[in-house]
Amino acid sequence: MIPDTLVSEIRNQQVILFVGAGLSMNLGLPSWSDLIDHMATELGYDKRIFEGLGDALQLAEYFKIKKTTLGSLRSWMDRNWHKDEGKVDSSRAHQALVNLKIPTIYTTNYDQWLEIAFKRRKVEFVKIANVGDFTKSASGKIEIVKFHGDLEDDSSLVLTEASYFERLSFESPLDLKLRADIIGKSVLFIGYSLRDPNIRYLQYKLHRLWADSEYSKARPKSYIFLSRPNEVQETILTERGITPITEDSGKPGEGLILFLEELQLRAFGVKP
């Protein structure tokens, strides 16, 4: 069940959204396995042998060392992920998200489906992927913050092991922006698997920012949508000040759609 507090905060634009890969599942994005297979092909490796030589971050780092750049990999991702921009129009999850009018959206996704969805609905937004983009912020425009980089900027991508470790320092300009943005606003996480240590670390760091403050009692509520109940994860999240919201539809993608459509209905009266 969606808490009334979240509905009210969405309506009053007091929520920052964090979006993971689960949002774009229904758009047929290639998996990490597909990405690794492509790297193997580019480097002349047997796919099965290459996959066993390291985890995804290590293999991406090896690819960058051998190729000296991620340019060809980024180009392949862009070509294969956005072949038919029109299909986002039938993505119920993306359409519901546009309807929620959330002013600041952070995403750890490299793909551009969020931007495409807003563009096709003619909703103004600015994209922020690096410190140089900070000057683009404008009153009244939705901000889409590419927290792990963007396919239009090779240097911004958090794809290799080294870039991942740098991200964990939590001291980049985008991290500092996040710290400023969350003051006085709730955070809603959607589209994430809690098997991802990166997002768990992020949630922990956000929790510590408040827990270490003498004003911790003033902390706004935070929420996460989970596609199925999990007592262990829910207990840990609650301890860290994050309210779990579950929708066990049996299909992870369908559960997220139902959650977003109910939220838009209750907040703005917009029917699916």
Side-chain angles (χ1 to χ4, degrees):
M1 179 178 293
I2 300 176
D4 292 339
T5 51
L6 175 57
V7 175
S8 176
E9 288 163 348
I10 288 285
R11 186 182 298 124
N12 294 321
Q13 297 192 324
Q14 292 299 305
V15 173
I16 291 171
L17 186 65
F18 246 93
V19 177
L23 179 70
S24 298
M25 284 175 57
N26 62 327
L27 293 174
L29 291 187
S31 65
W32 264 106
S33 179
D34 294 328
L35 193 60
I36 291 170
D37 285 351
H38 177 75
M39 288 190 284
T41 300
E42 286 283 299
L43 294 171
Y45 272 89
D46 178 276
K47 295 177 182 179
R48 290 171 295 181
I49 293 175
F50 187 69
E51 187 174 9
L53 295 177
D55 63 25
L57 295 172
Q58 291 173 322
L59 296 176
E61 178 128 1
Y62 177 74
F63 180 92
K64 182 179 180 181
I65 292 170
K66 300 300 287 185
K67 293 287 188 177
T68 71
T69 176
L70 290 174
S72 63
L73 182 62
R74 179 205 54 77
S75 297
W76 177 84
M77 292 161 69
D78 195 18
R79 289 194 308 272
N80 283 272
W81 287 2
H82 309 110
K83 289 180 178 178
D84 179 11
E85 293 189 355
K87 66 181 179 180
V88 77
D89 299 342
S90 58
S91 170
R92 291 163 55 193
H94 283 81
Q95 296 309 309
L97 195 151
V98 174
N99 292 335
L100 288 175
K101 307 174 185 178
I102 296 173
T104 304
I105 301 172
Y106 281 75
T107 179
T108 49
N109 298 342
Y110 312 122
D111 69 75
Q112 298 181 38
W113 285 116
L114 272 174
E115 299 95 299
I116 293 169
F118 280 96
K119 189 185 304 180
R120 292 182 67 84
R121 288 279 298 275
K122 294 181 170 54
V123 177
E124 288 191 313
F125 68 91
V126 294
K127 178 171 65 177
I128 299 174
N130 53 58
V131 68
D133 291 334
F134 283 18
T135 58
K136 298 178 183 178
S137 295
S139 177
K141 288 188 179 182
I142 289 170
E143 289 185 340
I144 299 178
V145 184
K146 306 300 286 282
F147 207 58
H148 278 184
D150 180 70
L151 290 179
E152 293 183 344
D153 179 7
D154 294 1
S155 64
S156 71
L157 294 176
V158 181
L159 185 61
T160 65
E161 185 173 74
S163 60
Y164 180 79
F165 288 160
E166 289 171 9
R167 161 54 65 213
L168 290 181
S169 71
F170 211 62
E171 294 293 341
S172 76
L174 291 185
D175 294 314
L176 299 179
K177 173 176 171 54
L178 175 61
R179 293 184 191 185
D181 285 344
I182 64 171
I183 299 299
K185 290 190 177 183
S186 295
V187 182
L188 169 62
F189 296 91
I190 66 169
Y192 286 103
S193 165
L194 291 182
R195 294 182 181 277
D196 179 356
N198 187 43
I199 197 63
R200 297 204 309 270
Y201 181 76
L202 170 63
Q203 291 166 345
Y204 173 77
K205 293 292 286 188
L206 293 179
H207 168 63
R208 294 311 311 172
L209 286 177
W210 281 105
D212 294 338
S213 168
E214 60 182 301
Y215 304 106
S216 58
K217 292 183 179 178
R219 176 184 178 177
K221 292 181 178 295
S222 291
Y223 314 85
I224 185 168
F225 174 79
L226 300 175
S227 59
R228 59 177 59 88
N230 182 309
E231 182 179 358
V232 171
Q233 293 178 349
E234 291 177 47
T235 299
I236 295 172
L237 287 164
T238 301
E239 179 67 17
R240 293 179 181 167
I242 301 173
T243 301
I245 303 170
T246 59
E247 175 68 57
D248 191 5
S249 67
K251 298 179 180 179
E254 184 66 21
L256 178 58
I257 291 169
L258 295 174
F259 165 71
L260 292 173
E261 290 184 340
E262 181 182 353
L263 194 53
Q264 74 173 15
L265 178 62
R266 289 181 57 188
F268 300 109
V270 178
K271 295 182 179 180

